[in-house]
Amino acid sequence: MSVTPLTSGTRPAAAGRRPAANDSTGLPPLKSGSRFGALADAWLPRLVLSPTIVASLVFVYGFIALTAYLSLTESRMMPNFEYSGFGQYERLFDIERWWVSAANLGIFGGLFILFCLAIGLSMAILLDQRIRHEGALRAIYLYPMALSFIVTGAAWKWILNPGLGLEKMMHDWGFTNFTFDWLVDSDMSIYTVVIAGVWQSSGFVMALFLAGLRSVDDSIIKAAMVDGASLPTIYWRIVIPSLRPVFFSVLLVLSHIAIKSFDLVMALTAGGPGTSSDVPAIFMYQFSFTRGQLGLGAASAMMMLATVLAVLVPLMYLETKGARHGR
Amino acid sequence: MAADLNHAGGRMSSIAPGRIVIYTLLVLVALYYLAPLYVMLTTSVKTLDQIREGNLLDFPLAPSTAAWAKAWSGACTGVSCEGLAPYFWNSVKMVIPAVLISSLIGSVNGYVLAHWRFPGHNVVFTALMVGCFIPFQVVILPMARLLGMADLANTTTGLVLVHIIYGIAFTTLFFRNYYVTVPDELVNAARIDGAGFFTIYRRIIFPLSLPIFMVCFIWQFTQIWNDFLFGVVFGGAEAQPVTVALNNLVNTSTGVTEYNVNMAAAIIAALPTLVIYLIAGKYFVRGLTAGAVKG
């Protein structure tokens, strides 16, 4: 299987391909140009796109606005549309469980991204060395990405089960002092989420980096080799810096997965023991749907949106800026 | 492997020890990725006794498919004990229309955005792409209310609708990025010959679209089949997809935990996307990378 090069084809093609335009559409006039035909040509495209635009306005922007408004009301079991200021946010920030969730997101997100980047990039560099059976290895590294986070969670919940899983296996092998009970240890449970998350997503990061490596110009590397640079130096000084746009894409996707992480935690620890591995997505779900605290749930959802924006907007800004200045 | 060293004239024309280290590392990592699959498969055909007495990596002594049968049609998820089968079919009924409709809409949208530019088309495109980025938690409360008012809560139709709405941003992105690589000259020549909007789509664009349809189908299928959040919030008891049922099964705290049944259920829930990955892996990877680049 082949991976489409990341940096060529899509983005650059979008900009500036169209030569001089004679009207706002940039399209040549019709030869057969009946008035009806011209009108249809001008309006059909807009007409075809309009349901999507309306849906996006309502279901994305409208719903975000509604959730924002809901977070400013006293809504509990049923939505209550009376404005009541920022009380829900004050309540939210007073709840210790919220701060546990936020801290867990920080721990999980940071470690998840760090390990995925490290493993993904290392694997990609190793696979880039003209490896036999590269296709098979790549397929093995990538298959977890086809699985649902629920499946991944269920599998790791079984493997990390202290009584029967990894710990028992090590005991059977004679390492009787070996303990690995992170799954039921409230100080460590969030780290089991990191283990399962990295297992699921690192292969995907590998695929993105490998595609990036393959698009690096070979002649630069050969020139450096002629100059006597060692292979690690070439990777460190030339190849990895040229992967800058891939780093952006990977960071974008990984931070997005981390902030939205809900299913993996649900299946693996369900936020437990207690609330020790809670993340904002679970907090939002439980307060909104099982505790009947719609206003508070809405406020926590808005905080999640704010986090996504705080991470994604600077990243996307840097990425487009990098692209514009030719990296 | 030894033969490979002789023609290792690529980026790394180093000596044998280095190659051995590389291959060892790669194989070890491959084992790490494969281990959970091995554990799931072997556990699913073990007896509960062997699971309790033996260890994780043991080979099944007396393989039995009893756990599979129970996972499919007898295991208890929450209150009902019908196994995963009804929920598996719920997922099938949900995923097929949702994938087909969201892909078709995305295709026509992508065609408009790539070849029928109008004033402000870039603003519209960017505005649509926001749908790829938002955490869905920020829309589920109003959506739940709307589905309730429309009498679509806890129905497959409701879930299909939700998946179509929030899938269009991705499908539009895929098709738009693919169609900008179709030369403008082709479209413009057809226009000069008098072909209209839909004729050009039907005669020129659509026939070129098979590869991107494959990518889009597979991406959407994987996303929708694997979805949990929408399923658990909007699925209710009747339309519950298989991921939600699996989660309920695995997290049931009453009675003896039947790990073999849990693992069989997990494989059943994973099977459709795994099969697709094995058959059409290259389209799956293209979908992942295209989804990662975001225009």
Side-chain angles (χ1 to χ4, degrees), chain A residues 11-289:
Chain A
R11 192 173 25 229
R17 304 175 55 235
R18 227 164 277 263
N22 52 3
D23 65 354
S24 58
T25 65
L27 297 162
L30 281 172
K31 189 175 129 195
S32 60
S34 67
R35 267 191 70 196
F36 175 77
L39 265 177
D41 264 8
W43 286 101
L44 260 181
R46 292 173 225 200
L47 202 66
V48 163
L49 205 58
S50 56
T52 303
I53 297 173
V54 171
S56 167
L57 281 177
V58 173
F59 294 108
V60 177
Y61 296 95
F63 277 13
I64 291 175
L66 271 176
T67 305
Y69 186 73
L70 208 58
S71 75
L72 301 173
T73 68
E74 295 275 343
S75 303
R76 288 181 185 271
M77 284 291 279
M78 293 302 283
N80 157 357
F81 293 104
E82 201 175 312
Y83 176 80
S84 77
F86 287 85
Q88 299 288 7
Y89 290 90
E90 283 169 28
R91 279 182 62 209
L92 183 70
F93 297 151
D94 275 342
I95 298 176
E96 205 203 322
R97 188 173 160 192
W98 168 256
W99 294 110
V100 172
S101 306
N104 277 339
L105 176 59
I107 296 173
F108 168 67
L111 292 175
F112 170 74
I113 291 173
L114 191 75
F115 279 107
C116 278
L117 277 179
I119 295 175
L121 184 58
S122 320
M123 286 302 109
I125 289 175
L126 290 181
L127 268 186
D128 196 32
Q129 311 303 322
R130 299 200 170 210
I131 294 300
R132 282 191 151 201
H133 307 300
E134 183 201 309
L137 285 169
R138 220 167 37 181
I140 290 170
Y141 298 160
L142 205 57
Y143 87 90
M145 203 62 195
L147 303 179
S148 159
F149 271 117
I150 296 290
V151 172
T152 303
W156 282 95
K157 189 188 175 82
W158 158 233
I159 294 170
L160 298 175
N161 176 323
L164 292 165
L166 202 61
E167 188 176 287
K168 181 163 183 296
M169 184 182 89
M170 297 303 272
H171 289 184
D172 289 348
W173 286 354
F175 304 97
T176 44
N177 289 326
F178 181 90
T179 48
F180 195 80
D181 55 356
W182 287 7
L183 199 62
V184 293
D185 180 344
S186 52
D187 289 333
M188 303 306 283
S189 53
I190 189 68
Y191 298 98
T192 61
V193 184
V194 178
I195 295 176
V198 169
W199 178 80
Q200 165 122 7
S201 301
S202 50
F204 161 58
V205 176
M206 181 278 307
L208 288 185
F209 276 125
L210 191 61
L213 288 173
R214 293 284 149 85
S215 64
V216 173
D217 190 354
D218 259 346
S219 58
I220 303 172
I221 294 165
K222 291 210 174 90
M225 279 180 140
V226 171
D227 288 347
S230 71
L231 199 70
T233 316
I234 292 174
Y235 270 100
W236 189 246
R237 303 286 293 277
I238 300 172
V239 178
I240 293 178
S242 73
L243 294 181
R244 193 183 130 109
V246 187
F247 272 99
F248 279 123
S249 297
V250 171
L251 277 176
L252 211 68
V253 179
L254 289 181
S255 47
H256 200 238
I257 293 177
I259 295 167
K260 293 207 302 186
S261 65
F262 171 64
D263 14 16
L264 182 63
V265 187
M266 277 301 255
L268 190 62
T269 65
T275 58
S276 61
S277 59
D278 230 348
V279 288
I282 295 208
F283 182 98
M284 189 273 160
Y285 173 76
Q286 290 192 337
F287 276 81
S288 307
F289 296 103

Side-chain angles (χ1 to χ4, degrees), chain B residues 50-104:
Chain B
Q50 198 198 344
I51 289 172
R52 276 193 216 96
E53 283 152 25
N55 80 45
L56 211 57
L57 296 182
D58 277 348
F59 208 71
L61 294 171
S64 141
T65 54
W68 283 73
K70 187 163 185 193
W72 180 248
S73 58
C76 298
T77 59
V79 281
S80 73
C81 290
E82 303 162 290
L84 283 193
Y87 309 106
F88 187 92
W89 298 124
N90 279 347
S91 281
V92 172
K93 277 183 259 170
M94 167 183 80
V95 79
I96 292 173
V99 167
L100 290 179
I101 296 170
S102 64
S103 301
L104 270 178

Side-chain angles (χ1 to χ4, degrees), chain B residues 165-181:
Chain B
I165 289 169
Y166 296 107
I168 287 178
F170 277 104
T171 57
T172 301
L173 172 78
F174 285 151
F175 282 103
R176 183 260 188 197
N177 284 354
Y178 181 78
Y179 289 150
V180 292
T181 64

